[in-house]
Structures are given as C-alpha cells and as structure tokens.
Amino acid sequence: MKTKDDYIAEYIPQVIEDYKGNPFIEALPPIMPSAEAAVNALSVKPVYSEAERELETYYRLHSTVRLSRYFQPLYTHLDIEQRVSRSIRQGYVSRNPVTPRYVQRYQQIEQRFEPADFRSVRSTAIGFTMIGMSGVGKTTAIDRVMSLYPQCITHTKYAGKPFYLKQVVWMKLDCPYDGSIKGLCLNFFSELDRILQTDYAKSFPASRNTVDTMMVKMSVLAHTHGLGLLIIDEIQHLSQAKSGGSEKMLNFFVTLVNTIGVPVVLIGTPKALPILQSEFRQARRGSGQGDLVWNHMKNDESWEIMLRAMWKYQWTRHKSP
C-alpha cells in the first residue's frame, strides 16, 4: 500500500474541462462525489467493544484514550473539505507544468518578484481565512481534511513522455511566535526538506540571506515543486511582529496567491481580526472563498449528530442512555 511519503502519480480522467490535461490536478485523489462520501472519508471511529465495560478500572482508563483519535465530521468540516478541494484545483488551473508558460513563469518569478507588486500575473488561485476561538477544533479539522491528500506526489511520465517532478500538494506551517518573516521562511525550507528529503535549508542560512532574498527563493521553490496549498496556522502571532512586519508578511501571502498562484489558507483566533481588517487591504483577494468564522457549538443539529455518534463509547459499568 502506498504511503503519503512515496506516492507515485496515477492520472485520473477529469470531468471538469478546466482540469483536463493538467498532471498536477489529474494526480490528485478524486473529488468527493457527495457529502456522504466526504463524511465516510473524514470519519475516524476507534475500536470499541461492549465487553470492555466489564474490565478492571485501570484497563478501562486506558481504553478511554482512544477518544482522542475519534473524529465525527460535521457541517463545518464538510465546508472546509470543499473549500480545500476547490482551492487546490483552482490554484493549479493557471499552473500546468507541461505548458511552456510554466517554465517562463519560473524565470519571471526569479527576475521580477516584488512583494509589493500584485499585478504581474493573473492567477486562478483562491484561498480563505478560518477564524475561531482557541480549542474549537480548527487545527484538528484542517489536519483531518489534509490527510485525504498525499503531501508529495512523484511524477515520472505523463502522456507517454518523460516528466519527472516532485509535486508538493500541501504544506502547513505555524506562524512564528514573534511574527517574523525570516522565521516563516526558515520553517518553509525545513518543512520542504522534510517532505522532499532535500537540503534547501542549508542553502539559505539566515545569517547570509536577507528576508527579501529568502522570500524570492521561497516563491521559486513553491513554483518549482508545484505547491498546491500553503496553510499558515496561529496567524494571531502576527500581533507580536515588529512595526510593519505583519503588513509585510500578509502582503507576501497575497503575492503568493496573485503572482505565484499558490492558494493560502490563514488560520487563527479572533486576536488576528484587527490585523486582517486594518492592515490586510488585500484580505478579500487573499480570501477568495470568503472567511470562515467558527464559533462554539450550539445546541442544534450538529450537536445532536456529534453526541449521538459518540455516546456509544462508554466504559462505565452501567450504560448511560
């Protein structure tokens, strides 16, 4: 069975016209055909046996830890799954690696990339912003959705012709606690090395490279390896950035979307809202699918679904209805 780390491209015929003839898209898992299919794919139901309720207490306490792996998809999770599915594919529409334009854009990125310029290339990328209280389940939800996609896909041949490329479908980074752009770039290189088993981080030591140089190299690598989605978690840390730093980083994210064509998903707590609203003038362009505000659960249908699905996991001597 293939693992997420050694996935070899298998090309799937596409239904949507925009997605045909693009190996980046054709190598992705199929689009979920229904909400039921998405629920089944996202669900994680731990092993459970009624007989365990008769075990001694110290055994039953161990069994309860399984609930940390339990995942019941709700309407918000299905919304995120759809947003991610659209974001990745739409971002690839204007980045077809078998076209001459893809190679030309590599040179344009390296020669003309400028964090303050958002007009150079028209992109099809669409991202979104997810804001919610701490502990509501944002990170767990995005991790579960991204588990449906291989992180790296190795291409060797396409349409009968040699085509060697390692495609990075998605990457998730935590925003540095001090909102540092240099810290984000270093995290990017390290994570790319982990995914691809490369040594890019050694090539761009912080002591010998400026932030602008590292941002350009980060963008070049994102293009070279066909990065499909960049997820930045804990975006509220930008509030700790030095004067002007938060605006520069957010503008850089918009540049990735509009110039490189990489969709960006920003995740954070409500503390990030003042920054996004006051400094991120291009926020609506960076959040092409609209913002997702995740509040605490209410006593509604979602609550009922979660409670009924989880209620069977009981390790008490007497079962509670």
Side-chain angles (χ1 to χ4, degrees):
M1 181 177 179
K2 293 173 182 174
T3 67
K4 301 291 182 184
D5 297 324
D6 60 359
Y7 193 92
I8 305 299
E10 293 180 2
Y11 303 107
I12 301 172
Q14 300 295 299
V15 174
I16 298 175
E17 197 65 33
D18 291 347
Y19 299 165
K20 294 179 180 179
N22 189 324
F24 280 166
I25 298 176
E26 292 181 353
L28 296 174
I31 295 173
M32 290 293 170
S34 65
E36 291 76 16
V39 168
N40 291 333
L42 290 170
S43 296
V44 178
K45 297 180 179 179
V47 175
Y48 175 76
S49 171
E50 291 275 345
E52 289 181 327
R53 290 178 30 235
E54 302 304 321
L55 297 175
E56 294 297 333
T57 302
Y58 44 86
Y59 287 126
R60 285 182 285 145
L61 286 172
H62 279 260
S63 298
T64 62
V65 178
R66 292 189 208 137
L67 281 179
S68 64
R69 299 189 293 273
Y70 174 81
F71 190 87
Q72 172 61 48
L74 303 173
Y75 294 121
T76 302
H77 302 120
L78 299 184
D79 183 13
I80 295 170
E81 188 278 321
Q82 275 291 301
R83 287 170 182 254
V84 166
S85 179
R86 293 191 297 266
S87 293
I88 293 177
R89 289 170 173 81
Q90 285 298 315
Y92 281 140
V93 166
S94 62
R95 293 187 293 151
N96 189 333
V98 296
T99 62
R101 186 183 176 190
Y102 190 81
V103 178
Q104 293 170 0
R105 286 185 69 179
Y106 177 93
Q107 298 171 338
Q108 291 173 349
I109 292 166
E110 199 163 29
Q111 295 171 4
R112 303 179 186 178
F113 184 90
E114 173 55 51
D117 180 17
F118 308 108
R119 299 169 297 177
S120 55
V121 179
R122 183 172 179 82
S123 149
T124 56
I126 52 173
F128 62 94
T129 302
M130 192 191 312
I131 299 294
M133 297 295 293
S134 180
V136 80
K138 304 180 299 297
T139 301
T140 300
I142 199 71
D143 286 347
R144 186 67 199 128
V145 169
M146 298 321 302
S147 72
L148 302 180
Y149 294 85
Q151 196 159 21
C152 179
I153 300 176
T154 300
H155 300 261
T156 56
K157 182 183 290 186
Y158 181 74
K161 297 180 180 179
F163 173 62
Y164 186 81
L165 187 148
K166 284 200 170 185
Q167 171 189 356
V168 178
V169 179
W170 60 273
M171 180 188 293
K172 179 171 171 286
L173 303 175
D174 283 345
C175 183
Y177 71 92
D178 58 355
S180 159
I181 298 180
K182 182 169 284 191
L184 181 77
C185 292
L186 291 174
N187 290 347
F188 177 91
F189 297 138
S190 296
E191 181 64 7
L192 195 63
D193 285 342
R194 185 194 67 80
I195 296 169
L196 299 175
Q197 299 299 300
T198 49
D199 291 315
Y200 289 124
K202 293 182 179 178
S203 303
F204 308 110
S207 59
R208 296 205 305 269
N209 288 276
T210 65
V211 168
D212 288 343
T213 299
M214 296 173 78
M215 289 167 70
V216 172
K217 294 303 181 183
M218 180 175 166
S219 303
V220 169
L221 291 174
H223 181 76
T224 301
H225 292 289
L227 178 59
L229 188 70
L230 179 62
I231 304 162
I232 309 294
D233 203 353
E234 308 291 355
I235 198 70
Q236 70 276 2
H237 288 167
L238 285 180
S239 63
Q240 305 299 318
K242 296 178 180 178
S243 179
S246 59
E247 183 175 11
K248 188 171 184 179
M249 184 179 288
L250 288 168
N251 285 346
F252 175 59
F253 294 153
V254 175
T255 303
L256 283 176
V257 174
N258 294 337
T259 302
I260 315 304
V262 178
V264 177
V265 175
L266 304 178
I267 304 174
T269 68
K271 289 183 179 180
L273 284 174
I275 300 168
L276 294 173
Q277 292 169 348
S278 64
E279 297 188 21
F280 199 17
R281 296 186 301 273
Q282 296 80 12
R284 289 299 166 264
R285 297 173 68 186
S287 304
Q289 301 191 67
D291 297 336
L292 191 159
V293 179
W294 194 339
N295 297 313
H296 287 301
M297 292 187 72
K298 299 178 181 179
N299 191 354
D300 55 13
E301 188 178 1
S302 289
W303 175 260
E304 187 77 11
I305 290 172
M306 186 194 74
L307 219 55
R308 288 188 176 277
M310 189 165 49
W311 205 256
K312 72 174 184 179
Y313 295 97
Q314 297 187 33
W315 287 278
T316 53
R317 290 284 191 211
H318 302 286
K319 192 170 184 178
S320 177

